[in-house]
Amino acid sequence: MSTGLLFSRDDLVFYIFPTHRHADVEKLKELIRDYGGDVCDYHRLQSDDERLGRSEGVALIDPTQLYAPKLLRKREKVDPDGEVVLTYLNWGYAQLCVDQNELIHYDVARRALVFCRGSWPDGSWRFYFSEKLGQEKEHFQKTVRRIQKYGGSVVFTEDIADVFIAPDDPTLLLAARNRFEWDPQTRVETESWLFECVDQGYVKFTSPPVRRMPGRRPGSRRVEFTPEDDKHLVTYIANKGREDGQGLQGIGFYTRLYNSGLEWAKRHPPDRI
């Protein structure tokens, strides 16, 4: 049943870019169609849809997808003549228009949806602020209002947060990221990152550091143990190998050996064992 004609325009077509959140896509399609809109999936088979060029195409982007920052930064797709054929927007745009009962100007919508992650009502990124930030009440309240202004929300229970805001201090930030390392549902960022998102108009999470697998670096050559080194190694294991209680296997043992100060061990870096 149609609930209105908000999106009922012959020159307006909504395209939903690929995302794994299929249930949300179906709900978004239903919302747009309920308000008289024309909507379809956007993929390679439809990227040359004949309506592009003669219609005002709006590409709705799931901001949780890896490609989202690139397209939201690009903002528009133009044809060879320089005419805009597609506008890239956060996929919360349709719900925003419905909530305000009007077609929102694209630039206004971009600002209002910076911290919006969902295409449904109240589909905001949820932020939790670390107690170690030590913010004054007035500053914290100002930050909360700013997050809400740009489509986000602040929660006071860490377990339901999407983004954990940690101090900019490198040591505290690293500790927070290590703590959430195995939690794919929670990202760790800083307050300065929040302001960067507002300035650029979309969320782009910090890429996690690349962690090299233990063992030799690609291209490095193994340093062979001489018969004399083997004797030294046996003596080391017998006398000191278990003193620290950390065992004799893995790269950790050879790291401790290398750092032991023994002259012969300096020829055997742990990444070349």
Side-chain angles (χ1 to χ4, degrees):
M1 178 182 294
S2 176
T3 57
L5 300 176
L6 180 61
F7 302 130
S8 180
R9 286 174 42 185
D10 292 337
D11 61 345
L12 176 62
V13 179
F14 289 100
Y15 298 88
I16 302 178
F17 262 57
T19 172
H20 65 281
R21 295 158 72 178
H22 304 299
D24 296 327
V25 168
E26 293 307 312
K27 291 179 182 178
L28 180 55
K29 287 181 181 178
E30 182 179 357
L31 175 70
I32 293 171
R33 287 168 179 158
D34 279 349
Y35 284 83
D38 187 3
V39 58
C40 62
D41 295 323
Y42 184 98
H43 50 70
R44 281 181 291 183
L45 295 178
Q46 294 174 317
S47 60
D48 295 323
D49 190 303
E50 62 179 12
R51 287 172 291 187
L52 286 176
R54 67 175 177 81
S55 302
E56 185 177 344
V58 176
L60 300 175
I61 310 297
D62 174 1
T64 68
Q65 298 300 298
L66 291 176
Y67 62 75
K70 179 179 179 180
L71 292 182
L72 294 175
R73 180 175 65 249
K74 187 177 180 182
R75 293 190 167 213
E76 298 171 337
K77 177 181 179 180
V78 299
D79 63 17
D81 297 324
E83 296 293 326
V84 176
V85 296
L86 201 61
T87 299
Y88 302 115
L89 293 175
N90 183 303
W91 71 349
Y93 176 72
Q95 186 65 54
L96 179 68
C97 292
V98 168
D99 290 343
Q100 300 191 23
N101 196 31
E102 64 174 312
L103 286 176
I104 308 298
H105 189 279
Y106 297 153
D107 287 338
V108 174
R110 288 187 178 100
R111 304 297 289 172
L113 297 170
V114 172
F115 296 128
C116 175
R117 70 183 177 93
S119 58
W120 55 87
D122 299 322
S124 60
W125 292 105
R126 296 166 297 189
F127 298 91
Y128 176 88
F129 284 77
S130 169
E131 296 177 356
K132 294 184 178 181
L133 283 164
Q135 293 178 323
E136 295 182 358
K137 183 177 180 181
E138 183 177 349
H139 175 78
F140 176 71
Q141 291 176 338
K142 182 178 180 180
T143 303
V144 170
R145 289 194 296 269
R146 191 171 190 183
I147 289 174
Q148 294 171 336
K149 176 181 178 181
Y150 295 105
S153 62
V154 174
V155 296
F156 299 92
T157 303
E158 181 181 306
D159 294 343
I160 64 173
D162 303 303
V163 186
F164 181 95
I165 300 300
D168 281 284
D169 178 89
T171 302
L172 296 177
L173 176 59
L174 179 61
R177 285 186 167 149
N178 288 340
R179 188 171 144 227
F180 288 97
E181 183 176 8
W182 304 111
D183 179 2
Q185 304 302 320
T186 307
R187 305 299 294 262
V188 177
E189 298 292 351
T190 64
E191 190 174 12
S192 59
W193 171 87
L194 281 172
F195 301 143
E196 290 174 7
C197 291
V198 171
D199 291 341
Q200 64 196 14
Y202 55 87
V203 165
K204 183 178 181 181
F205 290 112
T206 304
S207 299
V210 177
R211 299 199 174 195
R212 187 173 64 84
M213 294 295 289
R216 281 182 284 158
R217 292 192 301 266
S220 64
R221 298 181 61 184
R222 183 178 187 273
V223 179
E224 298 292 341
F225 277 70
T226 66
E228 193 68 20
D229 290 339
D230 287 336
K231 293 179 182 178
H232 288 311
L233 181 60
V234 170
T235 301
Y236 177 83
I237 293 174
N239 294 334
K240 295 186 177 181
R242 293 187 180 275
E243 282 184 1
D244 55 10
Q246 297 187 51
L248 305 178
Q249 297 181 347
I251 197 171
F253 167 75
Y254 288 100
T255 300
R256 297 193 296 276
L257 173 62
Y258 179 73
N259 294 328
S260 65
L262 297 171
E263 199 63 35
W264 64 271
K266 294 180 180 178
R267 298 196 302 275
H268 302 284
D271 61 349
R272 296 190 182 183
I273 295 299

